[in-house]
Amino acid sequence: MIVYVLNGPNLGRLGTREPDVYGATTYDDLVGLCVETGSELGLEVTVRQTDHEGELVGWLHEAADAGAPVVLNAGAWTHYSIAVRDAAAQLRAPWIEVHISNVYARESFRHHSVLSDIATGVIAGLGVDGYRLALRWVADNIR
Ligand code: DQA
């Protein structure tokens, strides 16, 4: 089964970006971790990152058309992008919203997500392990 792991703006800078908040794992490490976890679980994981909103919208359309599950860290778009929400609403398979940091322990503008109420589930604050846990859930619950 193909699973899309889609990342929004600034997540390509993991490792150098605010390491006190997001940890030392680089984006390349994250890709490796997701692909490796996927192969352990029998999933074919495609990991992507973009700083361009339309590109993420296009990838969500692709996942919707494929009927594929998605692990989505939309970064800052989480908090305000109705375009990303509308694209995610078209997904036919379960999808999981992931945040590396605990957004509820941070600035108040991060407490609201325009995605959470339509996501299958949400994982926040567990670092990059959140991606691993999301993939594990997909492997255990979708066949
Ligand atoms: C984030 C949290 C968002 O508030 C922030 O804009 C990000 C990353 C996280 O993974 O913790 O870019 O989604």
Side-chain angles (χ1 to χ4, degrees):
M1 174 176 37
I2 296 182
V3 183
Y4 289 79
V5 176
L6 303 179
N7 294 284
N10 298 300
L11 289 160
R13 296 182 55 78
L14 279 180
T16 49
R17 173 193 187 194
E18 301 179 80
D20 46 319
V21 177
Y22 297 109
T25 305
T26 66
Y27 178 71
D28 286 348
D29 292 339
L30 175 69
V31 173
L33 173 153
C34 290
V35 170
E36 204 176 292
T37 302
S39 70
E40 284 163 20
L41 296 168
L43 305 173
E44 194 184 315
V45 176
T46 296
V47 189
R48 297 181 189 163
Q49 187 274 327
T50 183
D51 293 326
H52 302 277
E53 193 178 9
E55 192 164 33
L56 178 60
V57 167
W59 292 341
L60 288 165
H61 294 168
E62 184 182 320
D65 290 344
V70 173
V71 175
L72 175 63
N73 185 347
W77 293 328
T78 303
H79 310 299
Y80 66 87
S81 174
I82 306 304
V84 172
R85 176 191 169 95
D86 287 351
Q90 297 172 51
L91 293 169
R92 292 180 288 129
W95 65 276
I96 303 168
E97 176 183 342
V98 168
H99 300 287
I100 295 167
S101 65
N102 179 355
V103 284
Y104 302 102
R106 300 181 63 196
E107 302 95 322
S108 58
F109 62 82
R110 294 186 206 276
H111 298 180
H112 180 66
S113 164
V114 298
L115 305 174
S116 298
D117 66 305
I118 58 167
T120 307
V122 181
I123 298 174
L126 302 182
V128 293
D129 282 345
Y131 291 80
R132 231 197 291 258
L133 294 164
L135 290 168
R136 156 71 63 187
W137 185 89
V138 168
D140 287 351
N141 291 278
I142 306 170
R143 279 300 161 203

